[in-house]
Amino acid sequence: MYMKRIICFLTLIICFCMTPIQAQKKMMSQEEFRKQQQMFLTERAGLTPEEAKNFFPLYFELQDKKGAYNKEAWQKMRQGKAEGTTEAEYAKIIEDVLQTRITIDQLELEYVRKYKQFLSAKKIYQIQKAEMKFHRELLKSAQKRK
């Protein structure tokens, strides 16, 4: 068990060291991104193979749904760039974008309830904390590349 964690940790470090090199050549695919994210979250949250097997299909399903809502919100925000947008149209854009955020938050809550069927609240917390750390490290590596 201890050796397995060390191997996972070293693999994770190698992946993060290689990411800036790979990103300079080309953009990371969604599949590559998700693979790195899964490794990172599994290691940081201490998920067992069984927990990971149950968690990640739901997690990525949620990410896809959130992505679709966010794409829709960005399309609405772009409408505000149009010349001659009226005050009423801006008000509608603002409300639509805020409603999208509320919908995403409700989705998050729905999925947390699903996770609770096979994960403890502590594990869910650790996953959320690891997810924030993953995105923070990703941003840092992107800034270093620039």
Side-chain angles (χ1 to χ4, degrees):
M1 178 85 168
Y2 180 73
M3 191 61 141
K4 184 178 175 184
R5 283 186 179 217
I6 290 174
I7 291 170
C8 284
F9 181 72
L10 291 174
T11 304
L12 188 62
I13 289 173
I14 290 169
C15 286
F16 271 99
C17 291
M18 296 294 286
T19 299
I21 295 167
Q22 292 171 347
Q24 288 174 0
K25 296 177 186 173
K26 63 180 177 83
M27 192 79 158
M28 187 186 320
S29 72
Q30 181 181 25
E31 186 178 294
E32 291 170 316
F33 176 82
R34 285 186 172 185
K35 185 177 178 181
Q36 286 188 7
Q37 189 177 35
Q38 185 171 344
M39 286 174 42
F40 189 90
L41 296 180
T42 299
E43 175 64 28
R44 290 292 175 106
L47 297 178
T48 67
E50 184 67 24
E51 289 170 333
K53 186 181 109 186
N54 290 324
F55 173 72
F56 284 106
L58 287 173
Y59 178 77
F60 291 133
E61 180 181 291
L62 172 61
Q63 299 312 308
D64 291 341
K65 288 179 181 180
K66 286 170 45 177
Y69 280 114
N70 282 322
K71 183 177 179 181
E72 189 179 304
W74 275 109
Q75 288 172 344
K76 289 177 183 179
M77 288 295 288
R78 285 186 201 99
Q79 293 172 0
K81 290 183 178 181
E83 193 73 27
T85 303
T86 67
E87 193 66 22
E89 290 169 327
Y90 281 123
K92 175 79 169 119
I93 291 168
I94 292 167
E95 284 195 29
D96 288 348
V97 170
L98 289 172
Q99 186 58 52
T100 299
R101 290 182 192 164
I102 291 167
T103 301
I104 288 172
D105 286 344
Q106 289 170 337
L107 258 179
E108 292 261 8
L109 183 58
E110 175 187 328
Y111 276 77
V112 163
R113 289 179 177 146
K114 290 179 182 183
Y115 304 152
K116 283 182 178 179
Q117 293 175 8
F118 55 88
L119 290 173
S120 68
K122 182 178 180 179
K123 285 273 177 126
I124 295 168
Y125 169 81
Q126 289 169 327
I127 290 167
Q128 290 174 334
K129 188 175 169 185
E131 185 179 26
M132 286 188 277
K133 181 81 171 167
F134 177 78
H135 290 290
R136 201 172 318 124
E137 289 186 16
L138 200 63
L139 285 172
K140 284 180 186 178
S141 70
Q143 288 174 344
K144 287 179 184 177
R145 284 191 303 267
K146 291 180 181 179

